[in-house]
Amino acid sequence: MKNISLFLLLLIGTLAYSQIGSMTIYNFSTQSVTYNLIGTNDNSYPIDCQPIVEGNSATALPPSSTVVYSQYNSSHLVTPPINQWAVISDAINIPSQTYNVSAGVTVPSVISTPTSWQSLRLTFSNGEMIHLGRDCGYVDSHHGAFSGSTPSGITATWNYLGNNVVVFIN
């Protein structure tokens, strides 16, 4: 009985932090980049896609650097960190709020479990921007902007590797 209880506790703890796929960003460009990262519910109507989970990098990702975000709740443990996530979820009867994960306020599984990475807005140190990602509600139909470039020649691509997203910036 003790072993079953321990197993259930571990299972609940794992599910509390579950999220579909990781986001990996490789910056091979000559510019530092800050970004806005958004996750949405793939199984909701294209009009709202709630819950919507949105976070911003606390600092810039320097040239020749990589970052991996595996979960919202551990995003403050990598460099550059995302310390808080703003969640829009009123349409699914969960009050919208901001979760400061660096202060220990975790995004609950009712929000994190149905979401996956939806878009990434990149802002480079030279002021140029690229917006990548899929359209809300169209995860399996390949609707969206999966590559982009700036006037100075920086390029970025959004790639799927299973449930994971890999972004290359050159």
Side-chain angles (χ1 to χ4, degrees):
M1 190 63 157
K2 230 182 196 183
N3 289 337
I4 293 172
S5 297
L6 179 60
F7 173 75
L8 287 175
L9 256 173
L10 289 172
L11 180 63
I12 291 169
T14 301
L15 290 175
Y17 288 95
S18 64
Q19 180 181 340
I20 300 173
S22 63
M23 165 64 74
T24 303
I25 304 169
Y26 292 95
N27 184 8
F28 297 116
S29 77
T30 60
Q31 302 291 316
S32 295
V33 61
T34 57
Y35 41 87
N36 172 269
L37 182 55
I38 297 174
T40 60
N41 182 355
D42 299 336
N43 300 313
S44 63
Y45 295 106
I47 295 171
D48 58 19
C49 287
Q50 290 190 22
I52 299 168
V53 183
E54 182 175 358
N56 296 300
S57 59
T59 58
L61 180 66
S64 303
S65 296
T66 302
V67 63
V68 179
Y69 298 103
S70 58
Q71 298 179 10
Y72 304 122
N73 292 325
S74 62
S75 63
H76 64 293
L77 301 175
V78 298
T79 301
I82 296 177
N83 292 319
Q84 62 184 24
W85 295 93
V87 174
I88 300 170
S89 52
D90 293 315
I92 59 170
N93 298 318
I94 299 171
S96 296
Q97 72 176 68
T98 298
Y99 296 88
N100 186 339
V101 294
S102 65
V105 182
T106 59
V107 178
S109 61
V110 70
I111 300 289
S112 63
T113 299
T115 62
S116 63
W117 303 115
Q118 190 253 339
S119 66
L120 178 67
R121 280 177 268 185
L122 304 163
T123 303
F124 298 95
S125 53
N126 66 0
E128 296 177 322
M129 297 189 307
I130 297 175
H131 188 181
L132 300 172
R134 63 177 168 78
D135 295 336
C136 177
Y138 292 101
V139 71
D140 293 326
S141 60
H142 305 290
H143 290 265
F146 300 103
S147 64
S149 62
T150 67
S152 70
I154 300 170
T155 62
T157 60
W158 172 288
N159 306 278
Y160 285 105
L161 185 58
N163 287 328
N164 303 303
V165 174
V166 180
V167 173
F168 293 101
I169 303 169
N170 296 296

